[in-house]
Amino acid sequence: MLTVNSVSYGYTKKRKIIKNISLNLQPGTIYGLLGLNGEGKTTLIKLMEGLLLPKEGDINFRGINSKERSGKYFDQVFYLGDTTNLPYLYVHDFGRMYGNFYSNFNYTEFENYLQEFQIDPNSHLSSLSLGQGKKVHLAFGLACNTAVLLMDEPTNGLDIPSKTIFRRLLANSLTPEKTVVIASHQIRDIDQLLDHLLILHHGELILDKSLSDINDQYAITSEITPGDEIIFQTEEVIGNKYLIVNKTEATSNMDIEFLFNAFINTSKTTVK
Amino acid sequence: MKAALNYALLIFKGNKSIFTSILLVAFAGFGIIFYLTNSNTLSILSEKNGFDTAKNYITAVQLAERTYFESSPILAILFPILNLIILQKIIYNPIEFTLPLSTKDRFFGIIIFCSLVFLINLIFIVLCNYIIQFYFQFNYLDLAKEGYDKLGYLYTKIPENSILYNANINLDVLKYSFIFFLFLPVYLVGILYFRKYSRLLSILIFIAYVYLSSLVMEHLWAGGFTQFINNEAYVKAYPYVLGSIAAIFAYISFYYLLKEKEVH
């Protein structure tokens, strides 16, 4: 389990990007880290990886502090950045040489993932497009079989079929021991995968709930009845859409984009 | 240590242009600096005439009096530094930075990589000096020996530091090139700490270091107590002792920068 304890961070002393965030990331769960541009999604992901070091608080994985930047930590917490700067190697050499450092790396899986993405392992990384490079990095990240997989905008640069393949591969690779965090503002690309929502707004975590809990507590509807407690409403082409407090046992189909808009536009106290 | 070695090889193999770059910088740099510092030698060469033997004797003897390529040791130190700028990109690349390695392995991996770059450049510089010697000896050595005799320079030998024995400078190359390892940590700290103008700032740090060393030399090490010291070895040792102490501090700083510097 990866724990984030009261972490604050700022690039300058005056302005904090991340304000006193605490999280417990459970295994077997795919987390969606959502937020507007510049709200600190990438910063939080980089803090979890150990690329950035918290100004206050700490981040631990199985008792190892991210500040230690130890081999054991990196062996279990993999970071897939939004930009990919791959070395000057053939794809198969990249897999073998870099995979060699990860204790659970599986080269056969790497090749299978590449096959799914239609990448030839004999091609040279320098000859691949941006999107193809991203696919190689995704395949590599999945094949490393780390306990925590942190992804920052993983679908950026992927074509539409590849986004589908990515979702399928990620869903298939999930094990009860694995935690996945996906930071994205392209919610539609990942919404089917998510088990749990984390929403960052103005540097604070305004939502940390599983989708099933959200389903229990809230409902999305286009028709309201007297007595409904409306939390948020928007006017859409087909009519109004409401987020209301769920007072029944019934669950509604969760539109994550709508939920996201609701939570960032509603005051924190109302939502919680 | 195996992980450090693997990491060094990974950096080397993952940056294939580095090998070409080492050779290119060494070849072009050696050629340019040899040309600039040996213009007199080269002008003597142009005077060789295939038919006029007397003039050729003079040319060969003049050439024998020219000193070998004295700048070689500096090239063995300077050129690897130029090539190592790529480390800035590598160290800050999240794919490399998040490899499961301890800071110790990462530190030694980088040092091994730098040593590899240094060694390849060193071998190339040494080889170039042999090639120059081979060229000059093939064309002028016998002529110079005959020239000394024919022109009446009796009992005069070709100097050991003649361009005709250019490879003799390789002893100095091997001896002094290891100063590279005193500069290296300062440079590594420079490129890791300063992301902008890192080369310039590293040079400024180095100049400040040399200046401070000279102050220490003048007022503390020997200068202030010269009247009491007649041990030449003690006086001569200062650049190496101070350099080594500074280098050790810089290596320690580099280690902690690797451990604590953030990757944005």
Side-chain angles (χ1 to χ4, degrees):
Chain A
M1 186 170 70
L2 194 137
T3 54
V4 178
N5 303 315
S6 311
V7 165
S8 295
Y9 184 83
Y11 291 99
T12 58
K13 279 185 181 174
K14 284 183 181 172
R15 187 170 170 258
K16 280 184 180 171
I17 300 275
I18 299 289
K19 297 170 189 165
N20 196 31
I21 285 180
S22 293
L23 275 172
N24 282 319
L25 300 181
Q26 301 295 333
T29 310
I30 300 182
Y31 290 83
L33 178 58
L34 311 177
L36 298 171
N37 289 334
E39 293 281 19
K41 298 187 298 291
T42 301
T43 304
L44 184 58
I45 288 262
K46 284 186 171 179
L47 283 163
M48 287 182 199
E49 177 61 27
L51 290 169
L52 300 176
L53 307 173
K55 304 290 181 204
E56 290 164 25
D58 55 66
I59 297 171
N60 294 287
F61 176 75
R62 292 180 188 162
I64 310 168
N65 195 316
S66 66
K67 281 184 181 175
E68 288 176 27
R69 289 175 163 177
S70 69
K72 279 182 185 169
Y73 190 89
F74 290 135
D75 190 41
Q76 290 303 326
V77 184
F78 188 90
Y79 169 74
L80 200 142
D82 55 344
T83 53
T84 301
N85 191 3
L86 296 169
Y88 189 84
L89 288 170
Y90 285 97
V91 174
H92 57 82
D93 282 339
F94 169 70
R96 286 208 174 86
M97 288 173 69
Y98 280 70
N100 199 24
F101 288 88
Y102 291 87
S103 59
N104 296 323
F105 178 78
N106 186 323
Y107 186 78
T108 314
E109 280 180 25
F110 176 61
E111 276 193 325
N112 292 341
Y113 292 136
L114 288 174
Q115 202 176 359
E116 293 273 2
F117 281 126
Q118 295 179 325
I119 302 281
D120 180 6
N122 295 316
S123 51
H124 200 277
L125 286 170
S126 63
S127 70
L128 301 180
S129 69
L130 185 78
Q132 287 173 314
K134 188 94 178 193
K135 289 175 194 173
V136 173
H137 201 191
L138 277 168
F140 182 75
L142 292 172
C144 281
N145 292 306
T146 52
V148 180
L149 183 54
L150 305 170
M151 299 193 199
D152 191 6
E153 305 289 357
T155 55
N156 265 4
L158 294 188
D159 49 38
I160 295 164
S162 301
K163 286 178 182 177
T164 313
I165 295 167
F166 161 71
R167 282 192 289 268
R168 181 161 47 80
L169 294 182
L170 186 64
N172 291 343
S173 73
L174 192 72
T175 61
E177 296 82 34
K178 196 167 190 167
T179 308
V180 179
V181 181
I182 307 174
S184 182
H185 58 263
Q186 297 181 18
I187 300 168
R188 297 258 181 238
D189 288 345
I190 55 162
D191 59 356
Q192 297 162 23
L193 291 168
L194 305 180
D195 303 312
H196 196 111
L197 283 190
L198 304 167
I199 297 181
L200 272 179
H201 193 48
H202 297 318
E204 292 177 38
L205 196 64
I206 60 165
L207 185 82
D208 175 9
K209 275 192 196 312
S210 70
L211 276 175
S212 64
D213 283 349
I214 293 172
N215 242 322
D216 289 344
Q217 290 178 30
Y218 306 103
I220 297 173
T221 179
S222 55
E223 290 172 3
I224 47 168
T225 53
D228 277 345
E229 201 178 323
I230 301 168
I231 294 168
F232 179 73
Q233 72 178 79
T234 54
E235 204 173 302
E236 298 196 350
V237 184
I238 50 165
N240 282 349
K241 201 169 183 180
Y242 303 93
L243 179 70
I244 57 170
V245 174
N246 190 5
K247 292 175 180 170
T248 65
E249 294 288 309
T251 56
S252 55
N253 192 18
M254 280 294 151
D255 176 345
I256 292 180
E257 193 168 299
F258 178 74
L259 274 178
F260 173 73
N261 286 326
F263 289 126
I264 63 161
N265 286 302
T266 315
S267 74
K268 204 169 85 176
T269 48
T270 311
V271 176
K272 289 208 163 172
Chain B
M1 207 58 189
K2 193 186 165 195
L5 195 63
N6 283 340
Y7 182 51
L9 291 174
L10 182 131
I11 301 175
F12 202 85
K13 286 183 180 171
N15 293 276
K16 278 205 173 143
S17 57
I18 186 71
F19 190 72
T20 320
S21 168
I22 297 168
L23 296 187
L24 206 69
V25 168
F27 184 73
F30 191 96
I32 290 166
I33 293 170
F34 186 83
Y35 179 79
L36 292 176
T37 56
N38 287 277
S39 53
N40 288 338
T41 307
L42 296 171
S43 66
I44 292 168
L45 288 185
S46 63
E47 288 167 14
K48 188 187 175 190
N49 187 312
F51 303 103
D52 189 344
T53 313
K55 196 176 174 186
N56 285 346
Y57 283 145
I58 294 168
T59 302
V61 168
Q62 278 182 330
L63 201 61
E65 300 293 323
R66 304 299 309 165
T67 53
Y68 49 29
F69 188 28
E70 289 169 308
S71 306
S72 300
I74 298 167
L75 308 186
I77 299 164
L78 182 71
F79 291 163
I81 294 281
L82 294 177
N83 283 306
L84 289 174
I85 191 65
I86 61 152
L87 277 175
Q88 192 176 40
K89 199 181 84 183
I90 293 164
I91 290 170
Y92 286 118
N93 184 353
I95 295 178
E96 314 278 345
F97 196 87
T98 58
L99 278 173
L101 284 166
S102 64
T103 309
K104 189 182 78 184
D105 286 334
R106 200 177 299 278
F107 172 85
F108 283 112
I110 291 169
I111 300 299
I112 293 168
F113 169 74
C114 295
S115 308
L116 266 175
V117 173
F118 165 77
L119 274 176
I120 294 169
N121 179 71
L122 182 70
I123 291 167
F124 195 81
I125 299 292
V126 166
L127 272 177
C128 282
N129 281 324
Y130 272 109
I131 290 167
I132 285 180
Q133 173 172 298
F134 175 78
Y135 171 78
F136 281 109
Q137 286 196 354
F138 186 76
N139 289 292
Y140 298 98
L141 184 63
D142 291 337
L143 205 61
K145 282 178 180 169
E146 273 180 50
Y148 273 110
D149 191 38
K150 302 273 185 191
L151 297 174
Y153 294 98
L154 301 177
Y155 310 114
T156 308
K157 276 182 155 183
I158 298 171
E160 289 289 304
N161 65 344
S162 162
I163 189 86
L164 296 176
Y165 297 123
N166 188 58
N168 284 352
I169 190 67
N170 282 339
L171 281 174
D172 279 352
V173 171
L174 295 174
K175 194 170 154 188
Y176 293 111
S177 62
F178 286 89
I179 292 173
F180 165 80
F181 290 99
L182 302 183
F183 294 159
L184 178 65
V186 179
Y187 184 70
L188 291 175
V189 169
I191 60 169
L192 197 60
Y193 192 78
F194 306 106
R195 297 201 67 177
K196 284 183 178 175
Y197 314 114
S198 55
R199 264 182 280 194
L200 181 70
L201 289 165
S202 301
I203 290 166
L204 288 177
I205 290 172
F206 182 70
I207 291 169
Y209 156 69
V210 170
Y211 176 70
L212 282 173
S213 301
S214 64
L215 285 182
V216 171
M217 167 63 183
E218 199 175 320
H219 298 292
L220 288 175
W221 184 269
F225 311 104
T226 325
Q227 63 272 36
F228 307 119
I229 296 167
N230 59 3
N231 186 338
E232 198 184 343
Y234 173 83
V235 177
K236 279 188 176 173
Y238 99 95
Y240 304 101
V241 174
L242 288 186
S244 303
I245 292 168
I248 288 165
F249 277 112
Y251 276 114
I252 293 168
S253 305
F254 177 57
Y255 176 85
Y256 281 100
L257 268 173
L258 270 183
K259 198 173 172 64
E260 288 167 14
K261 177 81 176 166
E262 295 188 320
V263 181
H264 294 292

